[in-house]
Amino acid sequence: MAMNLARSVEPRSEGLVDALREAILTGRYAPGTRLVQDDLAEAFGMSRIPLREALRRLEGEGLVVISPNRGAIVRPLAPKDVVDLYDLRLALEALALRRASERYADLRASTKARHAQARQAIAARNLTKLFRLDRDFHADIAAASDNPHLVAALGAQWSQIMRVMHAYFQAGDYPVDTWDDHEAIADAVAHGEADLAVERMSAHLTGSRDRILASLRAHGDRP
Amino acid sequence: MAMNLARSVEPRSEGLVDALREAILTGRYAPGTRLVQDDLAEAFGMSRIPLREALRRLEGEGLVVISPNRGAIVRPLAPKDVVDLYDLRLALEALALRRASERYADLRASTKARHAQARQAIAARNLTKLFRLDRDFHADIAAASDNPHLVAALGAQWSQIMRVMHAYFQAGDYPVDTWDDHEAIADAVAHGEADLAVERMSAHLTGSRDRILASLRAHGDRP
DNA sequence: CCGGTCTAGATTGTATACAATTTTATGATG
DNA sequence: CATCATAAAATTGTATACAATCTAGACCGG
């Protein structure tokens, strides 16, 4: 019986993947960083076996590059990646918006709630929270598309863009009109106006991208 | 000084990933199949350590699902996946076509060459070769987009769709007008007519998808 | 016959140990 | 000083062994 409410203890490598991914997305392990197995294994208190499996997992996700006999590094990022990623992202977000609009998905309430939270987070200079709120909006749209494969593709994109932001952003750079944009997009979706929603998303993403590229040029091209 | 022309012997797990992926894409390991580590390790003549790493890699690619303490299975496929995958794929292919059209990428020669090869492959009933020729066309468009992230996304899609085709196709079902479609699309791209290319691609993919869905309904819903 | 418990077998998870390879340090040589 | 050869150290790759967990079947009371 004892029906395992605590859920069988997950294998070491499970939580490890999440911890490593988190560290990579937030830039604690910056692009290009060498991931030495002995060091990481000691840092996480386990042997290299589960660690290596976690690295392979992340390799499959595109966050890590592994060269035979030479080890793993956090996948590097170049300015062109920013352009390419946003180009791809817009195509994915547009599809998600169209599918969400078809069913008049109403994300207005949750979007508004996040807007309020964002104000607090801005006041508290809580950048981590801002990232999470931003992600939640886009994740909601993805979920509303009712297409798990699209959700996965957008998730992969988000990971890369998160890395870009952490690599090229300074805390102050977070655009304040993000949350107004979100509300405008949610409005369009709720009214089934897909084209309008896509147009607004396009402006939103272009602005975000250009801000990253500008801050990149300002702070030096050598990230 | 013996400069390693033979390229350092790649680690066991490298070739293994390719071999496993191949087996999954061609349906030799059908969707839902349990991947028992001991069996696979023996089959490939190695210990479970490199094998497990290969499975993690494929998990990251979305080809395999691993449950803690219960093992890995080939990721299942449902009819809805076919719809979702093609929906996503069209968005990706459309983006690739637009970028390729911007630079008037001329894929007409290689496309025509493949058309000729396809005729031979059809005569020889070489289904594997047909798949490869089909993939090459779409890979060429992806490459012409000059966006590695888009290439990766399309590659992931192609993997899943390959699985679908092998799961739901009979040898005879390969649509013969595929190669005419390809030539028409390449023409449009070479003339920079992106909208036309996308329209043709849309028709091409819709036809392909519907043929899969039909053959699915015909041969029973229990793949 | 049904549902539940228990144990044996099968299977996965990981630490240890060692082999293979690459990188770094060293010194010899021109 | 630059360049190459060589040895030592660091690091990755994998087999073995064993612990942890799950699965299947035997058994039993109802």
Side-chain angles (χ1 to χ4, degrees):
Chain A
M1 294 195 300
M3 48 117 68
N4 230 355
L5 279 185
R7 203 69 137 304
S8 59
V9 176
E10 66 180 0
R12 264 109 143 74
S13 66
E14 291 302 306
L16 181 53
V17 169
D18 293 338
L20 277 176
R21 191 191 293 109
E22 173 74 9
I24 291 172
L25 295 201
T26 61
R28 219 176 75 237
Y29 295 152
T33 304
R34 272 192 67 192
L35 300 172
V36 179
Q37 296 173 9
D38 271 327
D39 299 352
L40 287 181
E42 174 158 26
F44 286 96
M46 65 189 63
S47 87
R48 283 165 47 226
I49 301 294
L51 184 89
R52 287 173 57 87
E53 290 183 15
L55 289 176
R56 289 288 183 197
R57 176 68 155 80
L58 295 173
E59 182 190 29
E61 288 182 25
L63 294 176
V64 153
V65 178
I66 301 179
S67 313
N69 288 315
R70 331 225 0 249
I73 62 173
V74 179
R75 190 196 217 186
L77 275 174
K80 178 164 187 300
D81 285 307
V82 179
V83 176
D84 289 348
L85 283 166
Y86 270 92
D87 207 27
L88 171 55
R89 182 178 174 191
L90 178 57
L92 296 173
E93 296 267 16
L95 175 58
L97 284 173
R98 292 188 192 289
R99 293 295 166 262
S101 297
E102 280 171 6
R103 65 194 77 206
Y104 299 88
D106 195 346
L107 309 172
R108 284 174 298 183
S110 52
T111 303
K112 198 159 190 177
R114 274 193 296 267
H115 194 153
Q117 290 189 268
R119 276 192 241 273
Q120 299 179 342
I122 290 169
R125 297 233 181 291
N126 188 340
L127 192 60
T128 306
K129 177 122 193 202
L130 283 176
F131 276 127
R132 200 162 57 65
L133 290 169
D134 197 349
R135 170 176 62 80
D136 287 348
F137 172 69
H138 293 281
D140 277 2
I141 293 174
S145 77
D146 191 36
N147 182 339
H149 295 277
L150 177 54
V151 172
L154 273 166
Q157 287 316 302
W158 181 264
S159 287
Q160 299 293 349
I161 284 173
M162 195 78 166
R163 288 191 326 123
V164 169
M165 288 181 141
H166 273 106
Y168 294 146
F169 255 39
Q170 312 295 78
D173 295 343
Y174 214 100
V176 285
D177 47 357
T178 297
W179 320 99
D180 291 314
D181 289 359
H182 286 187
E183 288 206 51
I185 293 166
D187 276 349
V189 171
H191 290 97
E193 303 191 50
D195 288 338
L196 180 59
V198 171
E199 195 182 335
R200 287 173 173 169
M201 177 66 83
S202 174
H204 177 57
L205 293 184
T206 302
S208 166
R209 182 199 63 186
D210 290 345
R211 219 167 281 111
I212 291 177
L213 290 174
S215 115
L216 185 165
R217 272 188 263 280
H219 298 58
D221 287 11
R222 207 134 308 264
Chain B
M1 41 96 109
M3 45 120 65
N4 230 354
L5 278 186
R7 203 70 136 305
S8 57
V9 175
E10 66 180 0
R12 262 103 143 77
S13 65
E14 290 304 304
L16 180 54
V17 169
D18 293 338
L20 277 176
R21 190 191 293 110
E22 173 75 8
I24 291 172
L25 295 201
T26 61
R28 218 176 76 237
Y29 295 153
T33 304
R34 272 192 66 191
L35 300 172
V36 179
Q37 296 172 11
D38 271 326
D39 298 352
L40 287 181
E42 175 158 26
F44 286 95
M46 65 187 64
S47 87
R48 283 165 48 224
I49 300 295
L51 183 89
R52 287 174 57 89
E53 290 183 16
L55 289 177
R56 289 288 182 196
R57 176 67 155 79
L58 296 173
E59 182 190 31
E61 289 182 26
L63 294 176
V64 153
V65 179
I66 301 180
S67 313
N69 288 315
R70 336 237 339 261
I73 63 173
V74 179
R75 191 200 225 190
L77 276 174
K80 178 163 186 300
D81 285 307
V82 179
V83 176
D84 289 348
L85 283 166
Y86 270 92
D87 207 28
L88 170 55
R89 181 178 175 190
L90 178 56
L92 296 172
E93 297 267 15
L95 175 59
L97 284 174
R98 292 189 192 288
R99 294 295 166 262
S101 297
E102 281 171 7
R103 65 195 77 206
Y104 299 87
D106 195 345
L107 308 172
R108 285 175 297 184
S110 53
T111 304
K112 198 161 190 175
R114 273 193 296 267
H115 194 154
Q117 290 189 269
R119 275 192 242 273
Q120 298 181 342
I122 289 169
R125 297 233 182 290
N126 188 340
L127 192 60
T128 306
K129 176 122 194 204
L130 284 175
F131 276 126
R132 200 164 56 66
L133 290 169
D134 197 350
R135 170 175 61 80
D136 287 348
F137 171 69
H138 293 281
D140 277 1
I141 292 175
S145 77
D146 190 37
N147 182 338
H149 296 278
L150 177 55
V151 172
L154 272 167
Q157 287 317 301
W158 181 265
S159 287
Q160 299 294 348
I161 284 173
M162 196 78 166
R163 288 192 325 124
V164 169
M165 289 180 140
H166 274 107
Y168 294 148
F169 254 39
Q170 312 295 77
D173 296 343
Y174 215 99
V176 286
D177 45 356
T178 296
W179 320 100
D180 292 314
D181 289 359
H182 286 187
E183 288 206 50
I185 293 167
D187 276 348
V189 170
H191 289 96
E193 303 191 50
D195 288 338
L196 181 58
V198 170
E199 194 181 335
R200 286 173 174 169
M201 178 66 82
S202 173
H204 177 56
L205 293 184
T206 301
S208 165
R209 182 198 63 186
D210 290 346
R211 218 167 282 110
I212 291 178
L213 289 174
S215 115
L216 185 166
R217 272 187 263 282
H219 298 59
D221 288 12
R222 206 135 309 263

